[in-house]
PDB file of all heavy atoms in Angstrom:
ATOM      1  N   TRP A2070     -13.614 -42.094  34.963  1.00 95.00           N
ATOM      2  CA  TRP A2070     -13.943 -41.956  33.560  1.00 95.00           C
ATOM      3  C   TRP A2070     -15.458 -42.206  33.337  1.00 95.00           C
ATOM      4  O   TRP A2070     -16.136 -42.975  34.035  1.00 95.00           O
ATOM      5  CB  TRP A2070     -13.210 -42.946  32.672  1.00 95.00           C
ATOM      6  CG  TRP A2070     -11.712 -42.825  32.711  1.00 95.00           C
ATOM      7  CD1 TRP A2070     -10.825 -43.414  33.581  1.00 95.00           C
ATOM      8  CD2 TRP A2070     -10.917 -42.073  31.780  1.00 95.00           C
ATOM      9  NE1 TRP A2070      -9.547 -43.071  33.268  1.00 95.00           N
ATOM     10  CE2 TRP A2070      -9.553 -42.270  32.165  1.00 95.00           C
ATOM     11  CE3 TRP A2070     -11.185 -41.317  30.670  1.00 95.00           C
ATOM     12  CZ2 TRP A2070      -8.513 -41.702  31.465  1.00 95.00           C
ATOM     13  CZ3 TRP A2070     -10.131 -40.718  29.993  1.00 95.00           C
ATOM     14  CH2 TRP A2070      -8.803 -40.939  30.395  1.00 95.00           C
ATOM     15  N   VAL A2071     -16.007 -41.506  32.292  1.00 96.00           N
ATOM     16  CA  VAL A2071     -17.331 -41.809  31.858  1.00 96.00           C
ATOM     17  C   VAL A2071     -17.366 -41.695  30.348  1.00 96.00           C
ATOM     18  O   VAL A2071     -16.540 -41.020  29.682  1.00 96.00           O
ATOM     19  CB  VAL A2071     -18.360 -40.802  32.406  1.00 96.00           C
ATOM     20  CG1 VAL A2071     -18.566 -40.921  33.897  1.00 96.00           C
ATOM     21  CG2 VAL A2071     -18.010 -39.356  32.045  1.00 96.00           C
ATOM     22  N   ARG A2072     -18.303 -42.447  29.759  1.00 96.00           N
ATOM     23  CA  ARG A2072     -18.530 -42.380  28.312  1.00 96.00           C
ATOM     24  C   ARG A2072     -19.834 -41.620  28.079  1.00 96.00           C
ATOM     25  O   ARG A2072     -20.854 -41.922  28.693  1.00 96.00           O
ATOM     26  CB  ARG A2072     -18.618 -43.743  27.667  1.00 96.00           C
ATOM     27  CG  ARG A2072     -18.622 -43.742  26.108  1.00 96.00           C
ATOM     28  CD  ARG A2072     -19.005 -45.093  25.576  1.00 96.00           C
ATOM     29  NE  ARG A2072     -20.401 -45.408  25.844  1.00 96.00           N
ATOM     30  CZ  ARG A2072     -20.966 -46.614  25.724  1.00 96.00           C
ATOM     31  NH1 ARG A2072     -20.216 -47.601  25.340  1.00 96.00           N
ATOM     32  NH2 ARG A2072     -22.226 -46.793  25.976  1.00 96.00           N
ATOM     33  N   ILE A2073     -19.783 -40.556  27.257  1.00 97.00           N
ATOM     34  CA  ILE A2073     -20.929 -39.688  27.079  1.00 97.00           C
ATOM     35  C   ILE A2073     -21.352 -39.809  25.619  1.00 97.00           C
ATOM     36  O   ILE A2073     -20.612 -39.514  24.692  1.00 97.00           O
ATOM     37  CB  ILE A2073     -20.608 -38.227  27.357  1.00 97.00           C
ATOM     38  CG1 ILE A2073     -19.925 -38.131  28.760  1.00 97.00           C
ATOM     39  CG2 ILE A2073     -21.846 -37.375  27.316  1.00 97.00           C
ATOM     40  CD1 ILE A2073     -19.451 -36.724  29.104  1.00 97.00           C
ATOM     41  N   ALA A2074     -22.588 -40.281  25.408  1.00 96.00           N
ATOM     42  CA  ALA A2074     -23.109 -40.371  24.004  1.00 96.00           C
ATOM     43  C   ALA A2074     -23.373 -38.990  23.463  1.00 96.00           C
ATOM     44  O   ALA A2074     -23.765 -38.065  24.182  1.00 96.00           O
ATOM     45  CB  ALA A2074     -24.383 -41.212  24.019  1.00 96.00           C
ATOM     46  N   VAL A2075     -23.155 -38.853  22.140  1.00 96.00           N
ATOM     47  CA  VAL A2075     -23.438 -37.590  21.457  1.00 96.00           C
ATOM     48  C   VAL A2075     -24.921 -37.479  21.295  1.00 96.00           C
ATOM     49  O   VAL A2075     -25.602 -38.379  20.809  1.00 96.00           O
ATOM     50  CB  VAL A2075     -22.743 -37.570  20.086  1.00 96.00           C
ATOM     51  CG1 VAL A2075     -23.216 -36.395  19.267  1.00 96.00           C
ATOM     52  CG2 VAL A2075     -21.236 -37.433  20.321  1.00 96.00           C
ATOM     53  N   ARG A2076     -25.471 -36.330  21.699  1.00 95.00           N
ATOM     54  CA  ARG A2076     -26.887 -36.087  21.671  1.00 95.00           C
ATOM     55  C   ARG A2076     -27.179 -34.708  21.029  1.00 95.00           C
ATOM     56  O   ARG A2076     -26.229 -33.869  20.994  1.00 95.00           O
ATOM     57  CB  ARG A2076     -27.553 -36.158  23.066  1.00 95.00           C
ATOM     58  CG  ARG A2076     -27.423 -37.538  23.707  1.00 95.00           C
ATOM     59  CD  ARG A2076     -28.386 -38.520  23.027  1.00 95.00           C
ATOM     60  NE  ARG A2076     -28.437 -39.868  23.689  1.00 95.00           N
ATOM     61  CZ  ARG A2076     -27.941 -40.942  23.245  1.00 95.00           C
ATOM     62  NH1 ARG A2076     -27.349 -40.948  22.012  1.00 95.00           N
ATOM     63  NH2 ARG A2076     -28.060 -42.094  23.819  1.00 95.00           N
ATOM     64  N   PRO A2077     -28.420 -34.418  20.636  1.00 94.00           N
ATOM     65  CA  PRO A2077     -28.700 -33.093  20.148  1.00 94.00           C
ATOM     66  C   PRO A2077     -28.400 -32.004  21.107  1.00 94.00           C
ATOM     67  O   PRO A2077     -28.473 -32.230  22.349  1.00 94.00           O
ATOM     68  CB  PRO A2077     -30.195 -33.112  19.772  1.00 94.00           C
ATOM     69  CG  PRO A2077     -30.500 -34.570  19.602  1.00 94.00           C
ATOM     70  CD  PRO A2077     -29.560 -35.313  20.524  1.00 94.00           C
ATOM     71  N   PRO A2078     -28.073 -30.819  20.665  1.00 91.00           N
ATOM     72  CA  PRO A2078     -27.649 -29.703  21.612  1.00 91.00           C
ATOM     73  C   PRO A2078     -28.673 -29.430  22.690  1.00 91.00           C
ATOM     74  O   PRO A2078     -28.301 -29.123  23.813  1.00 91.00           O
ATOM     75  CB  PRO A2078     -27.453 -28.525  20.658  1.00 91.00           C
ATOM     76  CG  PRO A2078     -27.147 -29.125  19.311  1.00 91.00           C
ATOM     77  CD  PRO A2078     -27.908 -30.419  19.251  1.00 91.00           C
ATOM     78  N   GLU A2079     -29.980 -29.469  22.312  1.00 90.00           N
ATOM     79  CA  GLU A2079     -30.973 -29.117  23.328  1.00 90.00           C
ATOM     80  C   GLU A2079     -30.978 -30.119  24.498  1.00 90.00           C
ATOM     81  O   GLU A2079     -31.521 -29.828  25.587  1.00 90.00           O
ATOM     82  CB  GLU A2079     -32.366 -29.019  22.716  1.00 90.00           C
ATOM     83  CG  GLU A2079     -32.868 -30.309  22.054  1.00 90.00           C
ATOM     84  CD  GLU A2079     -32.499 -30.410  20.599  1.00 90.00           C
ATOM     85  OE1 GLU A2079     -31.533 -29.710  20.155  1.00 90.00           O
ATOM     86  OE2 GLU A2079     -33.150 -31.214  19.862  1.00 90.00           O
ATOM     87  N   ARG A2080     -30.447 -31.310  24.317  1.00 92.00           N
ATOM     88  CA  ARG A2080     -30.310 -32.276  25.382  1.00 92.00           C
ATOM     89  C   ARG A2080     -28.942 -32.177  26.048  1.00 92.00           C
ATOM     90  O   ARG A2080     -28.784 -32.421  27.236  1.00 92.00           O
ATOM     91  CB  ARG A2080     -30.557 -33.661  24.869  1.00 92.00           C
ATOM     92  CG  ARG A2080     -31.960 -33.926  24.350  1.00 92.00           C
ATOM     93  CD  ARG A2080     -32.151 -35.362  23.924  1.00 92.00           C
ATOM     94  NE  ARG A2080     -32.116 -36.245  25.029  1.00 92.00           N
ATOM     95  CZ  ARG A2080     -32.167 -37.577  24.938  1.00 92.00           C
ATOM     96  NH1 ARG A2080     -32.287 -38.158  23.708  1.00 92.00           N
ATOM     97  NH2 ARG A2080     -32.173 -38.334  26.033  1.00 92.00           N
ATOM     98  N   THR A2081     -27.932 -31.849  25.220  1.00 94.00           N
ATOM     99  CA  THR A2081     -26.568 -31.816  25.769  1.00 94.00           C
ATOM    100  C   THR A2081     -26.331 -30.607  26.669  1.00 94.00           C
ATOM    101  O   THR A2081     -25.683 -30.755  27.748  1.00 94.00           O
ATOM    102  CB  THR A2081     -25.608 -31.728  24.578  1.00 94.00           C
ATOM    103  OG1 THR A2081     -25.750 -32.864  23.777  1.00 94.00           O
ATOM    104  CG2 THR A2081     -24.124 -31.669  25.064  1.00 94.00           C
ATOM    105  N   ARG A2082     -26.893 -29.444  26.354  1.00 91.00           N
ATOM    106  CA  ARG A2082     -26.595 -28.275  27.128  1.00 91.00           C
ATOM    107  C   ARG A2082     -27.067 -28.390  28.589  1.00 91.00           C
ATOM    108  O   ARG A2082     -26.315 -27.983  29.503  1.00 91.00           O
ATOM    109  CB  ARG A2082     -27.160 -27.063  26.448  1.00 91.00           C
ATOM    110  CG  ARG A2082     -26.516 -26.731  25.110  1.00 91.00           C
ATOM    111  CD  ARG A2082     -27.015 -25.441  24.540  1.00 91.00           C
ATOM    112  NE  ARG A2082     -26.481 -25.227  23.184  1.00 91.00           N
ATOM    113  CZ  ARG A2082     -27.195 -25.264  22.086  1.00 91.00           C
ATOM    114  NH1 ARG A2082     -28.472 -25.469  22.146  1.00 91.00           N
ATOM    115  NH2 ARG A2082     -26.592 -25.085  20.895  1.00 91.00           N
ATOM    116  N   PRO A2083     -28.296 -28.898  28.898  1.00 92.00           N
ATOM    117  CA  PRO A2083     -28.638 -29.024  30.280  1.00 92.00           C
ATOM    118  C   PRO A2083     -27.711 -30.005  31.036  1.00 92.00           C
ATOM    119  O   PRO A2083     -27.377 -29.756  32.164  1.00 92.00           O
ATOM    120  CB  PRO A2083     -30.068 -29.612  30.205  1.00 92.00           C
ATOM    121  CG  PRO A2083     -30.582 -29.156  28.849  1.00 92.00           C
ATOM    122  CD  PRO A2083     -29.411 -29.158  27.932  1.00 92.00           C
ATOM    123  N   MET A2084     -27.284 -31.043  30.392  1.00 94.00           N
ATOM    124  CA  MET A2084     -26.348 -31.991  31.015  1.00 94.00           C
ATOM    125  C   MET A2084     -25.020 -31.282  31.350  1.00 94.00           C
ATOM    126  O   MET A2084     -24.463 -31.449  32.435  1.00 94.00           O
ATOM    127  CB  MET A2084     -26.126 -33.229  30.091  1.00 94.00           C
ATOM    128  CG  MET A2084     -25.259 -34.321  30.716  1.00 94.00           C
ATOM    129  SD  MET A2084     -23.471 -34.002  30.498  1.00 94.00           S
ATOM    130  CE  MET A2084     -23.324 -34.143  28.718  1.00 94.00           C
ATOM    131  N   LEU A2085     -24.531 -30.479  30.399  1.00 94.00           N
ATOM    132  CA  LEU A2085     -23.266 -29.786  30.603  1.00 94.00           C
ATOM    133  C   LEU A2085     -23.355 -28.765  31.791  1.00 94.00           C
ATOM    134  O   LEU A2085     -22.448 -28.633  32.605  1.00 94.00           O
ATOM    135  CB  LEU A2085     -22.848 -29.051  29.392  1.00 94.00           C
ATOM    136  CG  LEU A2085     -22.314 -29.907  28.239  1.00 94.00           C
ATOM    137  CD1 LEU A2085     -22.160 -29.091  26.944  1.00 94.00           C
ATOM    138  CD2 LEU A2085     -20.983 -30.608  28.562  1.00 94.00           C
ATOM    139  N   THR A2086     -24.540 -28.158  31.844  1.00 91.00           N
ATOM    140  CA  THR A2086     -24.770 -27.197  32.994  1.00 91.00           C
ATOM    141  C   THR A2086     -24.734 -27.936  34.329  1.00 91.00           C
ATOM    142  O   THR A2086     -24.062 -27.479  35.273  1.00 91.00           O
ATOM    143  CB  THR A2086     -26.093 -26.453  32.821  1.00 91.00           C
ATOM    144  OG1 THR A2086     -26.084 -25.723  31.549  1.00 91.00           O
ATOM    145  CG2 THR A2086     -26.360 -25.495  33.937  1.00 91.00           C
ATOM    146  N   ALA A2087     -25.406 -29.088  34.346  1.00 92.00           N
ATOM    147  CA  ALA A2087     -25.389 -29.861  35.567  1.00 92.00           C
ATOM    148  C   ALA A2087     -23.980 -30.375  35.849  1.00 92.00           C
ATOM    149  O   ALA A2087     -23.503 -30.396  37.043  1.00 92.00           O
ATOM    150  CB  ALA A2087     -26.365 -31.058  35.447  1.00 92.00           C
ATOM    151  N   LEU A2088     -23.275 -30.762  34.823  1.00 93.00           N
ATOM    152  CA  LEU A2088     -21.874 -31.269  35.000  1.00 93.00           C
ATOM    153  C   LEU A2088     -21.009 -30.169  35.500  1.00 93.00           C
ATOM    154  O   LEU A2088     -20.137 -30.341  36.414  1.00 93.00           O
ATOM    155  CB  LEU A2088     -21.360 -31.793  33.667  1.00 93.00           C
ATOM    156  CG  LEU A2088     -19.993 -32.421  33.674  1.00 93.00           C
ATOM    157  CD1 LEU A2088     -19.912 -33.587  34.594  1.00 93.00           C
ATOM    158  CD2 LEU A2088     -19.647 -32.869  32.234  1.00 93.00           C
ATOM    159  N   GLY A2089     -21.138 -28.929  34.997  1.00 90.00           N
ATOM    160  CA  GLY A2089     -20.390 -27.785  35.453  1.00 90.00           C
ATOM    161  C   GLY A2089     -20.566 -27.452  36.887  1.00 90.00           C
ATOM    162  O   GLY A2089     -19.670 -27.012  37.617  1.00 90.00           O
ATOM    163  N   ALA A2090     -21.766 -27.688  37.393  1.00 87.00           N
ATOM    164  CA  ALA A2090     -22.059 -27.416  38.818  1.00 87.00           C
ATOM    165  C   ALA A2090     -21.456 -28.429  39.735  1.00 87.00           C
ATOM    166  O   ALA A2090     -21.358 -28.187  40.938  1.00 87.00           O
ATOM    167  CB  ALA A2090     -23.562 -27.390  39.002  1.00 87.00           C
ATOM    168  N   LEU A2091     -20.995 -29.534  39.170  1.00 87.00           N
ATOM    169  CA  LEU A2091     -20.446 -30.619  40.003  1.00 87.00           C
ATOM    170  C   LEU A2091     -18.944 -30.732  39.947  1.00 87.00           C
ATOM    171  O   LEU A2091     -18.354 -31.428  40.800  1.00 87.00           O
ATOM    172  CB  LEU A2091     -21.050 -31.975  39.523  1.00 87.00           C
ATOM    173  CG  LEU A2091     -22.552 -32.208  39.750  1.00 87.00           C
ATOM    174  CD1 LEU A2091     -23.001 -33.421  38.980  1.00 87.00           C
ATOM    175  CD2 LEU A2091     -22.860 -32.349  41.225  1.00 87.00           C
ATOM    176  N   THR A2092     -18.309 -30.125  38.983  1.00 77.00           N
ATOM    177  CA  THR A2092     -16.875 -30.363  38.753  1.00 77.00           C
ATOM    178  C   THR A2092     -16.067 -29.114  38.858  1.00 77.00           C
ATOM    179  O   THR A2092     -16.478 -28.006  38.475  1.00 77.00           O
ATOM    180  CB  THR A2092     -16.676 -30.990  37.337  1.00 77.00           C
ATOM    181  OG1 THR A2092     -17.220 -30.115  36.363  1.00 77.00           O
ATOM    182  CG2 THR A2092     -17.347 -32.320  37.210  1.00 77.00           C
ATOM    183  N   SER A2093     -14.871 -29.296  39.324  1.00 55.00           N
ATOM    184  CA  SER A2093     -13.817 -28.240  39.290  1.00 55.00           C
ATOM    185  C   SER A2093     -12.500 -28.925  39.631  1.00 55.00           C
ATOM    186  O   SER A2093     -12.488 -29.931  40.272  1.00 55.00           O
ATOM    187  CB  SER A2093     -14.120 -27.132  40.273  1.00 55.00           C
ATOM    188  OG  SER A2093     -14.004 -27.629  41.594  1.00 55.00           O
ATOM    189  N   GLY A2094     -11.432 -28.376  39.073  1.00 45.00           N
ATOM    190  CA  GLY A2094     -10.125 -28.926  39.373  1.00 45.00           C
ATOM    191  C   GLY A2094      -9.932 -30.342  39.019  1.00 45.00           C
ATOM    192  O   GLY A2094      -9.225 -31.103  39.670  1.00 45.00           O
TER     193      GLY A2094
END
Side-chain angles (χ1 to χ4, degrees):
W2070 298 87
V2071 293
R2072 189 192 69 192
I2073 310 173
V2075 169
R2076 296 289 186 249
E2079 61 270 19
R2080 297 183 66 185
T2081 299
R2082 293 186 186 112
M2084 184 275 295
L2085 288 170
T2086 299
L2088 183 60
L2091 292 168
T2092 57
S2093 67

